[in-house]
Amino acid sequence: MPPGTLHQRVTAALAHWRLDDAEELLAGVEGELSPYAAPAPRDGSPDEEPAEEPADLGRAWADTLHAELLVRRLRQAGFTLVGDPVEPPHGTGSPPALDLHAGVAELIDGDGPGDDGDLRAECAARAALAIALVRSARAAFDATADDLQRAAGLARHARIELLSRRVDAAMDEAVEAASLLDPGLPASLLLVDTLSTLAGVLADLELMPLALDYQRRAHETAVQAAATPGALDAADGEADVLVARTATRLGELCAELGEGLLDDGVPESAGPHFAEARGLAEQALALLPPESAEAVVAAQVVHGWALVGLGEHTAAAGPLRAAVRATATSGDRDLLAAALLALGRALRRQGDGAGADEQLAGALAIATEHGLSRLRRAALRELCTLHSELDDAGRALPYLQAYLADELDRVDERRTRWVELFGRRKSLLETERAAGQLRRQAYEDPLTHLPNRRYAEARLDGLLSSGAAPALAVVDVDRFKTINDAVGHPGGDAVLRRVAELLVAGVRDTDEVCRWAGDEFVILLPETTAEQAERALERTRRAVAAHDWAGLGVGLPVTISVGIASATRGDDRRTLFAAADGVLYDAKRRGRDRVVRLSAVTQTRAGASPLDALFGPPRAAAAAVTDEPAGDDTALVGAPEKVPAAVSVPAVQPSPLDDPTGDPGGFAPLLVDPPLGLGGPTDPPLAPAPPASSGPAEPARTTAPAPALPFRDVPSEPDVIWGTGRTTEQVLALVREARRQFPDRPAVVVRATAETLVALASEHDAYTTVDAAAMSAAVGPLPEAVGRVAVLSGNGGDTSVAAEAAFVARITGTEVVRVDDLGGTRIRGLLADPAALQDVDCLVVVAGLDASLAGLVAALTDVPIVAVPTSTGQPGSFGGFSALITMLNSASPGVVVSNIDNGHAAGVFAARIARRTRSGTAPGRGVVR
């Protein structure tokens, strides 16, 4: 693992194309390198189970380094990681692509790469092994929680992708690696190496400004690590050497950027970059000890390159010749190509054409052999310029053609990158647009275009959790059913829209009006007291009552009743809404067309409230108070002189049965006097009459708890929630409760509306599996498929029930295949090949008009069959009863019949048979809601 010594040695050998040395170093790494070989038991015995071990980063790095070694050997042989040939620099022909399937087969058979001496077979095996190693290592890096190790692995994989000429993949890996390198990471050798690797990748991607930034950060991190005690240990090497190496690499990028500016004809802009490169190289040479010969040579090459760029050709030639001699003996091909290129530049600008041609031709050959694209393009440009200056057009033309071909390849790569970027951006915008539409569908009322109940609940939860003290107003249109009956549904919809507009117009910009349900609205008023909310809603109430409703064709008066409560300490959404809703009904019982608020101070209700008839009078300690509205300065112009006083309602009423006076009040008399059943003098009593005694009451009887039912503690099958007859909010609440109780299995919703399915997908996102045809959804992890079920349907009218059965069977944990539209003569295909029915553990046959299909299929196979009658068919089918009778009277054995249209029960039953058949275990008991 980096930054270990062995990792550093292998990395240096690979970077310098000393592939035999890298292979020898990797040979000492423990572990089987091929993912295609099964691991042996730890003690060699055939009976011991192999241990399940977590992802090993050491093994991942060994796989990564070995994959890079294989890719570099493939590059030398003229192929990429995916087996495509590398186009030769001259000529038009290229070998065919490698057969990777044959390479995989060779690895699985156990023959190593190239055992038969066939070069193409050897390359195919290497490519297949490299692909497997890259995938294995990437999975381990993705699983680690160490962001720096993951970024280091991604940067190294980007280098491998570049060697394979997979530019898009390299860009993706580099972007992900950069996103993990937080500026706050502590200085370390691993961080320095990762930043330097990423800078090299970005430079090869023609992103020089970014490459310069990351290499500069690597140098700054190295300086910081050298100055921080404990940041580097003895195994990391000398701190001065680390700083010198990063300075050399930064100087190399500065010199390369300056050379590009010289080629573009702006020498005045190139000078500062060459001056910075010279200073960095001199800093590195001052820090490096004599024994670090390789690092010294690299710094000398950068120093000579900078001197050439600054015009000091004579001073640069001598050190560069020494660097060429040193690198020629060391075997560092990358550094040798850079030294030859710098020396060739110096000689060309000194006027030594023959010497320059020799050095530049050597640099071109090495860069071409080892896939050093940037050095190759620079050498081609220098050779073309050299022979043009020598008036040798015949020799300049081939170099010019090769250079232009490389430039065209770069243009094509850039164009491909831009097209890919455009496609990704377009896809992102489409995804954002679809997400916005889903959010609107989930949180917007389609009639009034106000936020809906789901939004109001979420917003109120957010306000309360943040510590705010909002006021909540619940608004109800008085006698709306009468209005709706008088003007029809379109007129009623128009009234609701106009009421919504008046509510919005009467509140502040910071307040939010939401449609709760039907003719009921809620208004969220942040940082507002009940008294302030009362004044605002009173103005709105008068505006609604005074509105000209005749313009909408409504001849009846339209008024609203409003209940207001202000949040207090400990309130949640439910308690606050219950308080506001309670005073709303108080307003309705007091005559409607009024605003009633709950006192934020006393939380009590005024005396003589109509609710006292139901709940009993409040205790004396909670005496009624009346909060008078504010003075005349808050009233509207033209408002009545006296506004009805608001009343206050207690949040929690005491039980009348606990009243110390002995007067039960409320519902208590109904429970004890008269006895049940005495609705009239002739009615027989259904319970004994209480004794007419004024003595103390007998103590209440207690009943022993019923014994627990012998169910399993935790059912394994999904919870089932029927959407029929339930609102979207009710279904969402049941799903949340099911997920809370049993988070390890899905909650299944069947017969749901489209709005409910959209709401489920919006709330639970990636945890939701939706089947629109089945009108069903599953929220939570799906079980592993065991066994196989086939679902057959008669005609198009049976599709929805068949889809429900298939969906439920799949969610219950079995593989499902569908065969639709087998009614009438279309069953001939199935009769011609009955073997298709044998490869399943259970069959579900869904039919209405073709109810005999179940018996016909049963005659063809011995597989158990669940028949589901449907209510589709002719008018005389009596809602599926005819199909049910036909299936029950079938003479074919092996058929069980579900009730009409119940695809859910059939799917569960078939899945149980399939799972029991394959696994031999009985499924648990599910829960139906």
Side-chain angles (χ1 to χ4, degrees):
M1 282 176 59
T5 304
L6 178 59
H7 180 91
Q8 297 290 341
R9 293 175 62 191
V10 175
T11 297
L14 290 172
H16 301 150
W17 290 87
R18 298 196 300 265
L19 304 186
D20 292 338
D21 293 346
E23 188 167 10
E24 183 178 352
L25 290 169
L26 285 172
V29 178
E30 295 182 359
E32 174 58 53
L33 290 176
S34 173
Y36 293 98
R42 286 175 295 174
D43 63 353
S45 63
D47 298 330
E48 184 179 3
E49 292 292 333
E52 291 291 338
E53 298 183 357
D56 185 358
L57 282 179
R59 172 64 184 271
W61 275 109
D63 289 347
T64 298
L65 295 175
H66 191 61
E68 184 174 345
L69 170 64
L70 293 172
V71 170
R72 289 180 181 269
R73 289 203 183 278
L74 283 169
R75 185 61 186 257
Q76 286 183 333
F79 295 98
T80 67
L81 173 65
V82 293
D84 295 331
V86 177
E87 290 292 338
H90 304 291
T92 57
S94 62
L98 299 175
D99 185 0
L100 297 185
H101 295 289
V104 172
E106 184 175 356
L107 291 172
I108 293 177
D109 291 341
D111 305 332
D115 288 347
D116 57 357
D118 184 356
L119 178 61
R120 288 185 57 81
E122 179 182 0
C123 290
R126 282 175 175 166
L129 180 56
I131 291 173
L133 291 172
V134 166
R135 290 174 61 87
S136 173
R138 178 62 192 270
F141 287 131
D142 288 343
T144 183
D146 189 337
D147 284 348
L148 183 54
Q149 282 284 350
R150 185 181 176 194
L154 290 169
R156 199 57 176 263
H157 282 203
R159 167 65 57 198
I160 294 174
E161 298 292 358
L162 276 180
L163 288 170
S164 303
R165 302 187 67 174
R166 287 159 47 89
V167 177
D168 291 340
M171 179 75 79
D172 290 341
E173 303 277 13
V175 169
E176 188 172 354
S179 68
L180 296 170
L181 295 175
D182 189 272
L185 289 173
S188 64
L189 178 58
L190 178 57
L191 179 58
V192 173
D193 288 346
T194 303
L195 290 168
S196 296
T197 302
L198 187 57
V201 170
L202 293 171
D204 286 341
L205 289 170
E206 307 294 336
L207 301 173
M208 287 302 296
L210 282 176
L212 202 62
D213 288 343
Y214 276 94
Q215 188 56 52
R216 196 179 303 280
R217 182 180 167 190
H219 179 54
E220 293 169 353
T221 304
V223 173
Q224 181 184 356
T228 304
L232 302 173
D233 54 31
D236 294 337
E238 298 183 21
D240 287 346
V241 175
L242 176 63
V243 174
R245 289 183 184 275
T246 57
T248 300
R249 290 172 184 157
L250 180 57
E252 181 183 356
L253 290 178
C254 289
E256 186 173 352
L257 186 57
E259 198 68 44
L261 293 171
L262 278 181
D263 293 340
D264 293 338
V266 282
E268 64 279 1
S269 300
H273 294 289
F274 283 119
E276 183 180 4
R278 178 180 182 175
L280 289 166
E282 290 173 350
Q283 176 190 353
L285 290 171
L287 291 172
L288 288 169
E291 57 269 18
S292 299
E294 182 181 314
V296 170
V297 172
Q300 287 177 342
V301 170
V302 174
H303 188 255
W305 189 356
L307 291 176
V308 172
L310 294 171
E312 302 178 23
H313 310 130
T314 304
L320 285 174
R321 290 184 189 276
V324 169
R325 289 192 297 270
T327 52
T329 57
S330 68
D332 187 342
R333 314 309 292 172
D334 194 346
L335 187 57
L336 176 59
L340 289 171
L341 178 60
L343 179 58
R345 283 193 177 108
L347 295 177
R348 179 181 71 78
R349 294 171 188 177
Q350 280 184 315
D352 184 0
D357 183 60
E358 179 184 358
Q359 306 302 325
L360 292 173
L364 176 61
I366 295 174
T368 302
E369 178 184 0
H370 295 294
L372 308 174
S373 57
R374 289 151 54 207
L375 289 175
R376 170 182 158 80
R377 282 194 300 272
L380 285 171
R381 186 180 181 109
E382 288 292 332
L383 284 166
C384 181
T385 304
L386 170 65
H387 291 290
S388 297
E389 292 173 347
L390 296 176
D391 293 330
D392 188 353
R395 296 194 62 187
L397 183 59
Y399 293 122
L400 178 61
Q401 290 174 335
Y403 177 77
L404 291 177
D406 277 12
E407 284 295 306
L408 287 175
D409 287 343
R410 292 173 63 197
V411 171
D412 288 342
E413 288 178 359
R414 288 174 180 173
R415 183 183 296 112
T416 302
R417 254 176 266 164
W418 278 110
V419 170
E420 178 72 14
L421 182 61
F422 176 83
R424 290 179 183 176
R425 180 60 179 162
K426 177 174 176 290
S427 176
L428 179 61
L429 288 175
E430 290 174 348
T431 302
E432 290 177 350
R433 191 175 297 113
Q437 184 176 359
L438 281 176
R439 281 194 297 271
R440 284 193 298 274
Q441 292 176 353
Y443 291 113
E444 184 179 283
D445 173 53
L447 176 63
T448 61
H449 299 292
L450 293 176
N452 61 9
R453 176 174 178 169
R454 188 177 301 110
Y455 174 85
E457 290 178 341
R459 178 67 175 141
L460 193 55
D461 284 338
L463 288 173
L464 294 172
S465 63
S466 66
L472 177 68
V474 181
V475 182
D476 189 84
V477 180
D478 297 328
R479 297 185 174 88
F480 180 73
K481 184 178 185 306
T482 304
I483 298 172
N484 209 40
D485 292 341
V487 299
H489 290 291
D493 291 345
V495 169
L496 291 177
R497 283 192 291 266
R498 185 63 52 84
V499 168
E501 294 170 1
L502 293 172
L503 291 175
V504 172
V507 299
R508 303 165 299 182
D509 292 340
T510 56
D511 302 331
E512 296 179 273
V513 180
C514 308
R515 187 183 179 195
W516 190 256
D519 58 340
E520 198 168 56
F521 299 84
V522 296
I523 304 176
L524 310 179
L525 302 102
E527 300 300 333
T528 305
T529 65
E531 292 80 2
Q532 294 169 332
E534 178 197 13
R535 291 195 291 269
L537 269 299
E538 177 59 30
R539 292 192 293 268
T540 302
R541 181 197 65 78
R542 290 198 294 264
V544 171
H547 185 73
D548 182 15
W549 295 101
L552 296 179
V554 180
L556 300 174
V558 178
T559 59
I560 59 173
S561 297
V562 184
I564 302 172
S566 181
T568 59
R569 181 182 302 176
D571 267 338
D572 61 12
R573 166 170 51 86
R574 293 177 178 83
T575 58
L576 181 58
F577 180 82
D581 200 41
V583 291
L584 167 67
Y585 281 95
D586 200 2
K588 285 188 170 293
R589 289 183 175 88
R590 291 171 63 90
R592 298 182 174 87
D593 190 19
R594 66 191 61 225
V595 178
V596 179
R597 64 176 169 83
L598 189 69
S599 171
V601 179
T602 61
Q603 293 289 292
T604 56
R605 190 206 324 267
S609 168
L611 290 182
D612 294 344
L614 290 178
F615 299 106
R619 293 174 183 263
V625 296
T626 300
D627 296 320
E628 294 295 332
D632 295 339
D633 58 326
T634 62
L636 291 178
V637 176
E641 293 183 0
K642 185 175 182 180
V643 179
V647 296
S648 302
V649 184
V652 179
Q653 292 289 341
S655 172
L657 299 177
D658 297 333
D659 194 282
T661 64
D663 182 12
F667 285 116
L670 301 180
L671 300 179
V672 296
D673 188 22
L676 296 178
L678 296 182
T682 60
D683 289 347
L686 300 181
S693 172
S694 59
E698 295 181 1
R701 293 176 181 161
T702 59
T703 304
L709 296 177
F711 290 159
R712 287 184 173 89
D713 292 335
V714 180
S716 61
E717 286 185 352
D719 273 359
V720 182
I721 300 167
W722 292 89
T724 306
R726 287 190 171 116
T727 65
T728 298
E729 290 74 16
Q730 290 173 332
V731 172
L732 289 174
L734 289 173
V735 169
R736 294 188 202 105
E737 178 65 18
R739 296 288 297 131
R740 184 187 65 79
Q741 291 182 357
F742 306 108
D744 58 337
R745 59 191 180 90
V748 181
V749 180
V750 294
R751 312 286 174 89
T753 63
E755 179 187 0
T756 301
L757 295 179
V758 170
L760 286 169
S762 176
E763 179 169 320
H764 298 280
D765 197 17
Y767 290 93
T768 307
T769 305
V770 177
D771 189 335
M775 297 184 297
S776 303
V779 180
L782 303 185
E784 181 182 358
V786 177
R788 199 161 186 248
V789 170
V791 179
L792 317 180
S793 64
N795 54 56
D798 307 321
T799 304
S800 61
V801 179
E804 180 182 281
F807 179 83
V808 171
R810 176 160 59 92
I811 298 303
T812 307
T814 186
E815 182 184 355
V816 179
V817 294
R818 290 274 305 274
V819 182
D820 294 329
D821 202 14
L822 292 175
T825 59
R826 293 180 295 279
I827 198 175
R828 291 176 181 173
L830 187 64
L831 295 175
D833 185 19
L837 304 178
Q838 303 301 323
D839 190 25
V840 293
D841 302 299
C842 187
L843 286 165
V844 178
V845 179
V846 182
L849 184 62
D850 299 281
S852 59
L853 178 63
L856 184 59
V857 172
L860 301 175
T861 179
D862 60 352
V863 177
I865 294 176
V866 185
V868 185
T870 68
S871 56
T872 61
Q874 297 177 348
S877 62
F878 302 103
F881 189 76
S882 175
L884 175 63
I885 295 299
T886 301
M887 291 180 177
L888 289 174
N889 289 330
S890 173
S892 300
V895 180
V896 296
V897 182
S898 169
N899 52 336
I900 299 171
D901 291 339
N902 197 346
H904 164 262
V908 171
F909 187 85
R912 287 181 178 179
I913 292 178
R915 292 178 65 86
R916 182 184 289 269
T917 302
R918 297 296 176 97
S919 65
T921 60
R925 188 185 304 272
V927 179
V928 179
R929 300 175 186 265

